[in-house]
Amino acid sequence: EIVLTQSPGTLSLSPGERATLSCRASQSVSSNYLAWYQQKPGPPPRLLIYGASSRATGIPDRFSGSGSGTDFTLTISRLEPEDFAVYYCQQYGRSPRTFGQGTKLEIK
Amino acid sequence: QVQLVQSGAEVKKPGASVKVSCKASGYTFSSYAVHWVRQAPGQRPEWMGWNNAGNGNTKYSQEFQGRVTMAGDASASTAYMELSSLRSEDMAVYYCAISTASTLGAFDIWGQGTMVTVSS
């Protein structure tokens, strides 16, 4: 099973700042089948990025994904108040599909 | 629009089984496999497996093999997930999710979730 490790566990930033979230895989993620989700208390996760760098429908361009192989990054260029949430990475190239433990993005 | 609507919250005793349904609308049900993901309080999501009602194929995570059954009824556009021999660790929100053609396997549509409580 591919283990995904996210860092940092918690990120404290202010609106307008830039956020950089990391996801490291224990093995290479095939075909860059790596996704990022945002989750707020209550609703299910919301897809932000798929294929490591493609934005899902309706996702603002301040969200961007990069990386390949075992190292991936989600960048939020200028934080808006609604961006403070928990972010998960997920690999879907190999079964079982696995999720990282999450990064909590909180207001400083 | 594409939508997945799940059945309501369940309370079960240890050792019992639970069956959660997921009704699809806005697309041809058999076009996409329905995946099931659960999330215990404060924990990361955990993928359980998928069922494709179009071809009858199913794949389960080893973690749940032998305890989970996933199926789909194309005539009702509804997917089902049944988990047996429930224990306290199974207490979680259970989601159904699909990946439409545009997202290459990532889950872009989710159900609202079904809370399963396991308590004696």
Side-chain angles (χ1 to χ4, degrees):
Chain A
E1 144 172 347
I2 296 179
V3 176
L4 299 179
T5 302
Q6 293 186 240
S7 60
T10 302
L11 186 57
S12 300
L13 293 170
S14 301
E17 291 193 292
R18 180 185 187 90
T20 303
L21 288 66
S22 174
C23 177
R24 178 162 290 178
S26 60
Q27 307 169 41
S28 183
V29 176
S30 57
S31 303
N32 288 340
Y33 284 155
L34 192 287
W36 289 93
Y37 298 85
Q38 176 193 70
Q39 190 175 30
K40 298 180 181 178
R46 173 194 181 199
L47 179 66
L48 301 174
I49 301 288
Y50 64 94
S53 60
S54 297
R55 268 188 303 277
T57 302
I59 302 303
D61 61 7
R62 65 180 181 272
F63 291 90
S64 63
S66 63
S68 64
T70 60
D71 288 290
F72 299 88
T73 300
L74 173 71
T75 302
I76 310 171
S77 58
R78 291 173 311 279
L79 285 166
E80 297 287 343
E82 62 267 27
D83 298 336
F84 292 90
V86 178
Y87 291 82
Y88 295 101
C89 58
Q90 180 214 13
Q91 67 79 22
Y92 51 97
R94 189 176 299 180
S95 187
R97 303 181 180 209
T98 49
F99 290 82
Q101 84 280 18
T103 290
K104 181 179 181 181
L105 180 55
E106 64 177 26
I107 299 178
K108 188 173 182 179
Chain B
Q1 76 281 22
V2 177
Q3 198 173 4
L4 301 173
V5 178
Q6 299 182 221
S7 49
E10 301 268 9
V11 179
K12 297 292 181 182
K13 293 189 184 307
S17 297
V18 67
K19 190 171 186 177
V20 179
S21 68
C22 170
K23 183 167 177 60
S25 60
Y27 72 100
T28 301
F29 178 69
S30 56
S31 296
Y32 307 123
V34 176
H35 294 252
W36 291 88
V37 176
R38 76 177 186 180
Q39 188 172 29
Q43 301 300 309
R44 74 184 79 186
E46 181 179 22
W47 177 79
M48 301 178 69
W50 57 259
N51 170 264
N52 187 326
N55 57 22
N57 288 344
T58 301
K59 186 170 182 67
Y60 303 138
S61 167
Q62 282 278 87
E63 178 73 19
F64 302 98
Q65 197 83 33
R67 275 209 306 146
V68 71
T69 303
M70 297 176 189
D73 179 348
S75 67
S77 296
T78 301
Y80 302 92
M81 185 283 299
E82 184 170 22
L83 186 64
S84 62
S85 302
L86 290 170
R87 36 203 187 234
S88 58
E89 308 90 89
D90 295 317
M91 193 152 59
V93 177
Y94 288 74
Y95 296 104
C96 56
I98 63 171
S99 167
T100 61
S102 62
T103 58
L104 306 176
F107 303 138
D108 55 332
I109 306 294
W110 294 69
Q112 83 277 18
T114 296
M115 181 68 213
V116 174
T117 300
V118 181
S119 174
S120 54

